């Protein structure tokens, strides 16, 4: 006999109810009433349960479809900031000033840093894009600027449009074709059904480094694509793992180019990683650099101070014979297909683009050989530095950027090292800024408004600043047990569904095809 809790969970999944809801305490400043709201886990976009993943996938499909064959420039004029947003930014400015005063006085700034981080999250949650401080990367750009050569590609004059060309057929109909592009990485050794034929000669280090820097390669590809296309190319792309565990990219591109041009761009695109060498292991196991409050990390035997991140980069700059740590390129397999809007091909490509979004990057291996392959890659990734701040730099005798005590090589918590990420720590879905008129939040709002309208409920205008939200701690006596919460949500959903069915029946009777189409 099935266990009761399994039945509850299965029922929740069948009804599209989040099975891992996050409890949030909502304090209503108007009424003084505080209650607990079940937020679906998928609200964070990193859905952890099947119903939320499915819902997010549907949203992504809508977003992909909306922008692909756009016929007019998307309007992306941001709204004027509202009072609450202004208030938050002022508050943020005060916190920054206090923090800087503390720092100048040599006092600890931890509390302010924490408050600032929380404010930044709140500012984004209030509907402000980006970061208040803008990009906070260091000004250092010497070593990369000097050596990232421009690829050998034709450069066309840029026109200020994000739309592709329109073609006229002899019978006077116009077409606006777009492209569906698939890019893969190079080979690291022969594979059979995703598993290396000869694991000993398979180049795991190159596979690991390619995956770690794959996002950068995508950025460069887009830059080059725009240069050759001669307009502001927009894209919706997803990253997924091939069976051999190398990331690859599916990209819906607005507008079209010849396949030969796309091939040429892919072939000419590369990214050089100008990082210190990490080919010689200097510290390992129990023999690790030691922390000194003043100097940072020291050699445990000689007491010599290890070069800091900036010093290591300076050494690299000073050496005329220096080579990049790594160069990432695409493999030879480039697939580019012309797609017309509203055709079965377009539907199929959109399904394909969103196919893997409900699954994690690293899939369960189906054989012992595949598991061994994944384990070997994960072991190499464990010690590859993922970013300048990665503790793994200590293994190669360099102090990580922003070094602090307690860093241990092989124990970096960065996403890229995790077995389910396999070196790719970037986002799964990459959408250019002028893809459509809407952000994902706005797509969500669309659906919400429609459902509320259908139910005959008026959407309350967002009463900004009315509620204060805080996380509910595990064991809070006000938080009902998870199964009780699931049963309530299921009941709610069933009631909602019954109501929708009634509306549907009424709509069918009236032949409101527009409504029915949207409901489907
Ligand atoms: Zn969920
Ligand atoms: Zn790392």
């Amino acid at each position: 006999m099935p266990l009761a809790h399994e039945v509850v969970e299965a029922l929740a999944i069948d009804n599209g109810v989040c099975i891992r809801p996050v409890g949030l305490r909502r304090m209503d400043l108007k009424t003084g009433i505080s209650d607990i709201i079940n937020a679906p886990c998928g609200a964070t976009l990193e859905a952890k349960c099947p119903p939320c993943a499915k819902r997010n996938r549907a949203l992504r499909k809508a977003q992909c479809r909306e922008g692909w064959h756009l016929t007019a420039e998307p309007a992306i004029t941001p709204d004027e900031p509202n009072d609450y947003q202004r208030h938050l930014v002022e508050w943020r400015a005060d916190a920054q000033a206090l923090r800087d005063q503390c720092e100048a006085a040599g006092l600890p700034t931890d509390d302010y840093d924490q408050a600032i981080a929380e404010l930044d999250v709140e500012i984004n949650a209030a509907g402000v894009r980006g970061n208040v401080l803008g990009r906070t990367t260091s000004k250092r750009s010497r070593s990369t600027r000097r050596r990232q050569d421009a690829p050998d590609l034709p450069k066309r004059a840029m026109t200020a449009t994000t739309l592709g060309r329109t073609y006229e057929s002899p019978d006077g109909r116009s077409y606006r074709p777009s492209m569906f592009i698939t890019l893969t990485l190079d080979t690291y050794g022969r594979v059979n059904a995703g598993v290396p034929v000869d694991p000993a000669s398979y180049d795991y280090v190159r596979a690991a480094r390619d995956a770690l820097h794959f996002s950068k390669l995508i950025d460069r590809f887009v830059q080059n694509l725009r240069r050759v296309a001669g307009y502001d190319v927009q894209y919706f792309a997803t990253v997924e793992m091939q069976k051999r565990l190398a990331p690859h990219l599916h990209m819906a591109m607005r507008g079209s180019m010849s396949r030969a041009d796309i091939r040429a761009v892919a072939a000419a695109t590369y990214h050089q990683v100008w990082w210190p060498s990490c080919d010689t292991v200097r510290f390992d196991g129990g023999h690790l650099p030691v922390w000194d409050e003043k100097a940072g990390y020291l050699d445990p035997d000689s007491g010599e101070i290890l070069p800091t991140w900036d010093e290591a980069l300076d050494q690299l700059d000073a050496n005329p014979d220096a080579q990049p740590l790594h160069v990432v390129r695409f493999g030879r397999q480039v697939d580019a297909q012309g797609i017309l809007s509203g055709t079965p091909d377009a539907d199929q490509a959109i399904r394909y683009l969103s196919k893997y979004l409900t699954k994690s990057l690293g899939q369960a291996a189906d054989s012992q050989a595949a598991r061994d392959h994944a384990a070997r890659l994960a072991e190499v990734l464990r010690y590859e530095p993922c970013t300048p701040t990665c503790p793994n730099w200590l293994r190669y005798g360099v102090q990580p950027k922003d070094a602090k005590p307690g860093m241990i090589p092989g124990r970096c918590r960065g996403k890229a090292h995790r077995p389910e990420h396999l070196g790719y720590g970037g986002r799964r879905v990459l959408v250019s800024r002028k893809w459509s008129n809407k952000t994902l939040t706005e797509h969500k709002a669309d659906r919400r408004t429609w459902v509320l309208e259908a139910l005959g409920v008026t959407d309350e205008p967002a009463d900004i600043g009315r509620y204060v939200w805080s996380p509910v701690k595990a064991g809070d006596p006000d938080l009902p047990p998870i199964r009780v919460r699931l049963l309530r949500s299921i009941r709610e959903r069933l009631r909602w569904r019954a109501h929708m069915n009634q509306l549907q029946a009424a709509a069918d009777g009236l032949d409101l095809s527009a409504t029915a189409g949207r409901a489907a």
Side-chain angles (χ1 to χ4, degrees), residues 65 100 126 150 226 241 244 255 297 307 317 385 392 397 415 502:
R65 192 180 304 276
D100 293 347
R226 286 181 176 153
M241 288 291 165
R244 62 178 180 138
Y297 281 97
D317 275 352
N392 286 349
K415 231 169 150 185
Q502 278 173 18

Side-chain angles (χ1 to χ4, degrees), residues 384-387 390-392 412 414 417:
E384 279 293 323
C386 64
T387 55
C390 184
N392 286 349
C412 176
H417 301 285

Side-chain angles (χ1 to χ4, degrees), residues 150-151 154-156 158 222-231:
K155 195 175 166 179
R156 309 230 157 91
M158 280 300 265
V222 172
Q223 283 168 17
N224 292 337
L225 199 63
R226 286 181 176 153
R227 191 180 309 186
V228 173
Y231 70 98

Side-chain angles (χ1 to χ4, degrees), residues 380-431:
V380 171
L381 278 165
R382 186 176 167 194
Y383 293 109
E384 279 293 323
C386 64
T387 55
T389 55
C390 184
N392 286 349
W393 285 111
L394 291 174
R395 184 176 167 86
Y396 310 102
V398 172
Q399 298 201 44
K401 190 176 170 206
D402 304 328
K404 42 182 177 291
M407 294 180 123
I408 300 170
R411 300 241 188 107
C412 176
R413 306 225 313 254
K415 231 169 150 185
H417 301 285
R418 291 186 213 154
E420 71 270 27
H421 282 273
L422 295 160
Y424 179 75
R427 282 174 301 160
R428 296 287 300 277
V429 183
L430 308 159
V431 187

